[in-house]
Amino acid sequence: MKNITSFVDLLFNFLYKVKKNINSKLNKQALSITKLKILKIISNSKNYATNIKKKMGFSSRTIVSILDNLEKNKLLHRKQNMKDRRIKDLYITNNGIKKLREAENINKIMLEDSFSSLDKKQIKTFKEVCNILINNKNSITKK
């Protein structure tokens, strides 16, 4: 069990460093991995804060704070829903699309760099192992 614990600690440490480095680069564009994901969700279809909350697993307060920031930076805009006044539709702006594309490129390059020491076979094996763990019927990821 100790080997698994040390392996998980290593994995968390690696992922923390990758996320920290990517966020550091994205912060220069007033973005983060989380904001990138939210812009991606909004760019793919008409969305509402409650949909994003469900997809991201964050509290309402966190989502509203992030959306406020994205709107302040003119990356998205909210518009009153014509059918339900309680809802505001979210739309990505042209500037948001531009920033999203730039951020996706930065994210892709940095992820490729982070995994560059692995060959294609090792990456394939790592992906297979992750899928096995995620789909494990006894896994906590299922609960």
Side-chain angles (χ1 to χ4, degrees):
M1 196 55 124
K2 184 176 175 149
N3 286 341
I4 292 173
T5 302
S6 63
F7 166 72
V8 171
D9 286 344
L10 282 170
L11 185 58
F12 278 138
N13 188 32
F14 169 72
L15 293 175
Y16 171 78
K17 286 180 178 182
V18 169
K19 184 176 179 180
K20 183 179 173 187
N21 288 337
I22 292 171
N23 276 332
S24 165
K25 201 76 145 168
L26 293 177
N27 282 336
K28 294 174 184 168
Q29 298 188 7
L31 288 175
S32 65
I33 294 171
T34 299
K35 291 176 187 174
L36 168 68
K37 287 179 181 180
I38 290 172
L39 284 176
K40 184 75 173 169
I41 292 168
I42 295 168
S43 73
N44 286 332
S45 63
K46 187 166 114 177
N47 264 289
Y48 318 104
T50 52
N51 294 355
I52 293 172
K53 176 186 165 194
K54 288 176 189 173
K55 288 179 183 178
M56 297 294 291
F58 294 152
S59 70
S60 296
R61 186 177 184 190
T62 299
I63 291 298
V64 168
S65 175
I66 294 169
L67 294 176
D68 286 345
N69 182 274
L70 290 169
E71 188 172 38
K72 182 181 121 193
N73 287 303
K74 298 182 181 0
L75 302 178
L76 73 82
H77 71 273
R78 297 172 173 136
K79 186 176 178 185
Q80 195 70 47
N81 184 288
M82 300 308 285
K83 294 179 183 175
D84 188 341
R85 291 180 23 170
R86 297 170 297 169
I87 298 174
K88 289 195 176 182
D89 297 327
L90 303 172
Y91 299 93
I92 191 166
T93 64
N94 288 336
N95 188 42
I97 292 169
K98 179 183 172 207
K99 290 280 190 177
L100 173 61
R101 287 185 184 135
E102 291 171 3
E104 285 178 320
N105 191 46
I106 290 168
N107 188 52
K108 180 179 182 269
I109 290 167
M110 293 192 73
L111 285 173
E112 286 172 355
D113 286 349
S114 297
F115 286 88
S116 64
S117 60
L118 301 177
D119 62 33
K120 287 181 182 182
K121 185 177 179 186
Q122 290 170 320
I123 290 173
K124 182 180 179 209
T125 302
F126 183 69
K127 185 176 176 183
E128 289 169 355
V129 168
C130 288
N131 281 323
I132 290 168
L133 293 172
I134 288 169
N135 294 314
N136 176 1
K137 67 179 180 171
N138 298 319
S139 173
I140 59 171
T141 60
K142 289 286 186 183
K143 297 174 181 155

